[in-house]
Amino acid sequence: MADQDGLNIVRWLFCALATLATTGRFYLHHRYNHAPLRPDSLLNLLALLCLIALNATFLVTASTSSITLQLQTTLASYFLLWSTLYLVKASFLALCWSVFRPSPSFRRWWWAVALYTFLTFWPITLSQLWQCGDPAKWDDPVTCESLLSSNMKANAESKAAFILALHASSDLFILALPLAFIHQLHMSRGKKVSVASVFAVIAVDILMGVLRNGAVVWAGLGVGVEVNEELAIWMENLEAGVAVLVCAAPAYGVLLPAARRRMREGVVELREDVGGIGKRKGGSRRSGETDAGDGGVGEAVGGPVGGG
């Protein structure tokens, strides 16, 4: 089995990296964009706070000898884990909205995906209340001790498969949503590839979820039990930290040379407008463009989204 001290070190290491990445996101917003923070950045911050609280519950669970307290902190860590992951999903949905919202057809599909994602959160999180069979006895040591050694282990793979189906499908829908509407962006093919790469990082979250829940399923089926149980433990401890890192990653698109060049060109255009040279209606920003420097996509989008 995985070494607990090693898990703690790696878990807090990824938490520290996620904290630095999220802090950097807010610094880049302050450095390159003086507009108010967008919802995707605020959701990133909430995900980080849940991650820190999650790591704290892991420490409490490992340090106590009380079975009741262990059950309570295990339930708390489960809710915090999925709250972190779903706040990351919400951040990407908010980022999609900020880029593609001028398209009427996108807005309809966005609401459908957002509703589906919201609905998948509840069966995943509430299923943990049945960890000891009866929701009314979820923290009863006597009830849980007998079930965790028999019935719960027998049902572990089916629960993992159920969670994997809901978790991965919502991620796939969020990934497919922007990719399906990139062709409507008024920009060159190279810029469209840049936008697609921003949203493609969601695939990392999908991979982590597949590895974690897939390992539980395979272990339950008796395939490579020791290896898969080890993998499931590591993925459970790393998935949330990696998800927050992925959530903050798009903001760093502003550091790419092409993005910096377009931002400088935008500043020059703005100064020309203020000076009365090359004035045009509507200011220096074309309709549909997103803010630069916050979500990381505004720098890649070179024009508005077409209707449809």
Side-chain angles (χ1 to χ4, degrees):
M1 299 298 288
D3 175 64
Q4 188 61 47
D5 291 336
L7 286 174
N8 284 333
I9 292 172
V10 175
R11 192 164 53 232
W12 282 104
L13 173 62
F14 273 85
C15 184
L17 292 174
T19 301
L20 289 174
T22 304
T23 303
R25 175 177 191 157
F26 284 93
Y27 169 76
L28 291 173
H29 174 86
H30 175 74
R31 175 69 175 80
Y32 296 108
N33 187 356
H34 300 293
L37 289 170
R38 291 205 308 257
D40 53 297
S41 292
L42 298 176
L43 289 165
N44 187 173
L45 177 60
L46 288 176
L48 174 63
L49 295 176
C50 284
L51 174 63
I52 295 171
L54 171 64
N55 283 357
T57 61
F58 278 130
L59 289 179
V60 174
T61 303
S63 62
T64 183
S65 59
S66 170
I67 302 298
T68 300
L69 183 57
Q70 287 180 355
L71 291 171
Q72 292 171 346
T73 54
T74 298
L75 181 65
S77 64
Y78 186 85
F79 278 105
L80 286 168
L81 167 65
W82 287 106
S83 295
T84 303
L85 296 177
Y86 269 77
L87 283 168
V88 170
K89 295 175 194 278
S91 179
F92 274 105
L93 281 171
L95 186 58
C96 287
W97 179 268
S98 69
V99 176
F100 298 95
R101 66 179 180 273
S103 169
S105 57
F106 168 80
R107 292 197 296 269
R108 290 192 293 270
W109 282 105
W110 185 92
W111 280 111
V113 172
L115 178 61
Y116 176 79
T117 302
F118 174 77
L119 292 177
T120 60
F121 172 77
W122 298 105
I124 290 176
T125 53
L126 295 179
S127 64
Q128 188 66 9
L129 292 175
W130 276 261
Q131 64 176 340
C132 296
D134 185 353
K137 299 180 179 179
W138 64 268
D139 61 346
D140 178 28
V142 177
T143 303
C144 288
E145 186 176 0
S146 60
L147 287 174
L148 288 174
S149 61
S150 56
N151 186 48
M152 294 302 293
K153 287 188 176 180
N155 294 330
E157 63 271 18
S158 58
K159 179 183 176 183
F162 168 74
I163 290 175
L164 175 60
L166 295 180
H167 180 35
S169 62
S170 61
D171 275 344
L172 286 171
F173 285 140
I174 295 171
L175 174 61
L177 184 63
L179 299 182
F181 287 89
I182 282 181
H183 70 279
Q184 295 186 7
L185 293 174
H186 299 166
M187 60 175 65
S188 66
R189 180 174 298 180
K191 291 180 181 179
K192 289 180 180 179
V193 172
S194 298
V195 176
S197 64
V198 167
F199 291 102
V201 296
I202 301 174
V204 177
D205 285 344
I206 298 174
L207 177 62
M208 295 291 289
V210 169
L211 288 174
R212 180 168 63 88
N213 292 287
V216 175
V217 173
W218 285 112
L221 295 175
V223 179
V225 176
E226 185 175 346
V227 173
N228 281 302
E229 286 182 348
E230 187 88 3
L231 178 61
I233 292 172
W234 278 101
M235 290 301 102
E236 181 181 2
N237 283 270
L238 297 180
E239 186 176 5
V242 172
V244 178
L245 276 172
V246 168
C247 186
Y252 290 84
V254 71
L255 299 178
L256 297 175
R260 298 287 295 275
R261 184 175 63 254
R262 285 193 292 274
M263 290 178 63
R264 287 195 297 269
E265 291 170 353
V267 171
V268 171
E269 291 178 359
L270 179 60
R271 287 175 178 171
E272 289 177 347
D273 283 349
V274 172
I277 302 174
K279 292 182 179 179
R280 60 180 182 271
K281 293 182 179 180
S284 62
R285 182 178 294 173
R286 288 171 287 181
S287 173
E289 289 183 334
T290 56
D291 294 331
D294 183 18
V297 177
E299 298 76 38
V301 177
V305 181

